[in-house]
Each structure stands twice: as structure tokens, then as C-alpha cells.
């Protein structure tokens, strides 16, 4: 496609793709929030729980990290209705990506909790704090600052991984792209624009998260060892 026609094509399809980008960002934001709500208690159980609770938390993490995201999505959307649990397309997208992100966030948070060091828990207990109070007021505030760099990777990853939800007909960025490419018979131009939109979104997210990370950086404390996706 000549460059002039490409720009004309961009002007024609961009409103629909921007609408899809909004859906993508909503799903990514919701999934990150669900992942944090799930991942934080799982991480605490992994570090401070009893043997059985640690194994239970580990099983959840292994299940969602050890199976493909697409399989998880199909199980939630197509498989759970057989058990009487039916979700809408958007709800299945939020739930699957949230639970998947929760497993990864749990590992990031576990690394941050362990990076704080056991000496601080010992010192807190020595001055009469309960274990829960020490976690809440001493360990957790430091761990949440330490986890920011690795959590930033999770945010960028989840934006890209939302692309799978178009397979259950969610009208996200990829879903809109599929409709446009089928309607215009111009898949290459459509997906080039989609790639550029992802690049811009991820780039902006990286810049924002970099500045947030610098703002809350803890002097003298090393970043925890992080898992990778």
C-alpha cells in the first residue's frame, strides 16, 4: 500500500482502534488490580504461612504460571459453564487475566518481602509487636516500594497479554483489528497500526512507571530478585 493511501487508511480506521485501545486498557487495569488483591495475600502466605498454606499458595502459583494463558481463558469462558459458572466475555477476560497476574505478582511480592530481611521482623517482635503488626507497619511498606521495578514489568506484560481476549470476541484492540482487517481486506496495514499503538501505550507506561519507581526508590536497599515472564 503506498504511503499516502496508508495514512488515509489510518485516518479511516483509527477511531475504531482507539475505542478498542480503551477496552484493552480497562481490561489491563482491572486485571492488575485483581492480581494485586489476590497476589498480596498469596505472597504473605508463601513467606509467613504454615507449611500447608505455603503449599496451597504454591499450587495456585504453579497452576497459573505453568499453563498457557490462552488455555486458562478457554477453561474459564468455555469450561466453567459446564460446572454451572457462566461469565460474560468481559468478566471472563478480567477474571482470567487477574488470576494469571495474581500468580506472577505473588512471586514478585514474595521476593520483595524476603528482601526486607528477617532481622527487622526479629527486632519488631523484640519490642513487643505482634507478627501481624510488624508485617503491616514495618515489612509491607518497604516491600511495596521494593517491588515497584518488577511490578512495572508485570504491568507492561499484562497490557500485551490482553491481546488473547479477542479470541472470545471481546472488542479490545485486537478484536477491533480483526473486524477491520476482515472488512477492508488490508490485514498488514491494520496490524502495523495495531503494533504502533501497542508500542506507544507500552512506551508511555514504561516512562510513567520509571518516574514512579524513582520517586519511591528506597536508598540503601537493593531491588529484590524478580521472576521473569
Amino acid at each position: 500500500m503506498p504511503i499516502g493511501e496508508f495514512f488515509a487508511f489510518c485516518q479511516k480506521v483509527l477511531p475504531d482502534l482507539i475505542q478498542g485501545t480503551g477496552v484493552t486498557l480497562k481490561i489491563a487495569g482491572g486485571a492488575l488490580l485483581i492480581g494485586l488483591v489476590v497476589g498480596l495475600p498469596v505472597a504473605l502466605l508463601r513467606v509467613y504461612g504454615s507449611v500447608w498454606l505455603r503449599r496451597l499458595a504454591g499450587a495456585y502459583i504453579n497452576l497459573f504460571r505453568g499453563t498457557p494463558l490462552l488455555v486458562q481463558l478457554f477453561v474459564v469462558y468455555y469450561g466453567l459453564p459446564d460446572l454451572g459458572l457462566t461469565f460474560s466475555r468481559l468478566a471472563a477476560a478480567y477474571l482470567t487475566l487477574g488470576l494469571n497476574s495474581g500468580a506472577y505478582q505473588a512471586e514478585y511480592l514474595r521476593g520483595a518481602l524476603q528482601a526486607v530481611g528477617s532481622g527487622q521482623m526479629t527486632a519488631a517482635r523484640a519490642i513487643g509487636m505482634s507478627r501481624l503488626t510488624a508485617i503491616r507497619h514495618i515489612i509491607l511498606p518497604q516491600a511495596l516500594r521494593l517491588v515497584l521495578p518488577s511490578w512495572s514489568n508485570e504491568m507492561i506484560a499484562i497490557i500485551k497479554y490482553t491481546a488473547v481476549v479477542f479470541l472470545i470476541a471481546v472488542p479490545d484492540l485486537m478484536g477491533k483489528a480483526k473486524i477491520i482487517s476482515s472488512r477492508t481486506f488490508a490485514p498488514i496495514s491494520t496490524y502495523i497500526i495495531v503494533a504502533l499503538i501497542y508500542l506507544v501505550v507500552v512506551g508511555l507506561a514504561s516512562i510513567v512507571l520509571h518516574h514512579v519507581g524513582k520517586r519511591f526508590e528506597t536508598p540503601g536497599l537493593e531491588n529484590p530478585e524478580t521472576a521473569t515472564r
Side-chain angles (χ1 to χ4, degrees), residues 6-200:
F6 178 75
F7 283 115
F9 182 74
C10 282
Q11 288 182 332
K12 182 180 174 184
V13 302
L14 212 49
D16 279 347
L17 292 179
I18 289 174
Q19 190 179 23
T21 304
V23 176
T24 291
L25 292 177
K26 285 179 185 174
I27 294 173
L32 283 169
L33 182 60
I34 294 171
L36 182 60
V37 170
V38 173
L40 181 56
V42 170
L44 291 170
L45 290 178
R46 286 275 283 168
V47 178
Y48 300 109
S50 63
V51 173
W52 284 107
L53 288 176
R54 285 202 299 271
R55 288 178 180 175
L56 190 63
Y60 160 72
I61 291 168
N62 289 333
L63 174 64
F64 281 93
R65 294 182 68 193
T67 55
L69 177 59
L70 185 57
V71 173
Q72 296 163 19
L73 181 66
F74 282 176
V75 167
V76 170
Y77 187 65
Y78 295 114
L80 291 185
D82 291 341
L83 302 177
L85 294 172
T86 303
F87 298 98
S88 67
R89 294 183 178 91
L90 267 178
Y94 280 119
L95 182 63
T96 306
L97 284 164
L99 290 176
N100 182 277
S101 179
Y104 285 93
Q105 291 192 51
E107 283 299 88
Y108 298 150
L109 287 161
R110 180 179 64 84
L113 288 168
Q114 291 174 332
V116 173
S118 58
Q120 298 202 31
M121 173 63 81
T122 304
R125 298 299 301 273
I127 61 173
M129 282 189 178
S130 68
R131 203 176 189 196
L132 190 59
T133 304
I135 292 171
R136 181 181 172 189
H137 293 290
I138 295 178
I139 307 294
L140 205 51
Q142 297 180 72
L144 290 177
R145 295 178 72 169
L146 287 171
V147 82
L148 272 175
S150 48
W151 192 87
S152 302
N153 292 333
E154 176 63 16
M155 182 176 178
I156 290 168
I158 209 73
I159 290 172
K160 293 184 289 186
Y161 285 167
T162 56
V164 300
V165 302
F166 91 97
L167 290 169
I168 58 171
V170 173
D172 71 325
L173 179 55
M174 283 295 291
K176 291 287 186 182
K178 182 185 176 187
I179 294 170
I180 291 168
S181 64
S182 301
R183 192 177 64 211
T184 61
F185 302 105
I188 294 178
S189 299
T190 303
Y191 289 111
I192 286 175
I193 298 169
V194 168
L196 291 173
I197 291 174
Y198 272 114
L199 196 61
V200 170

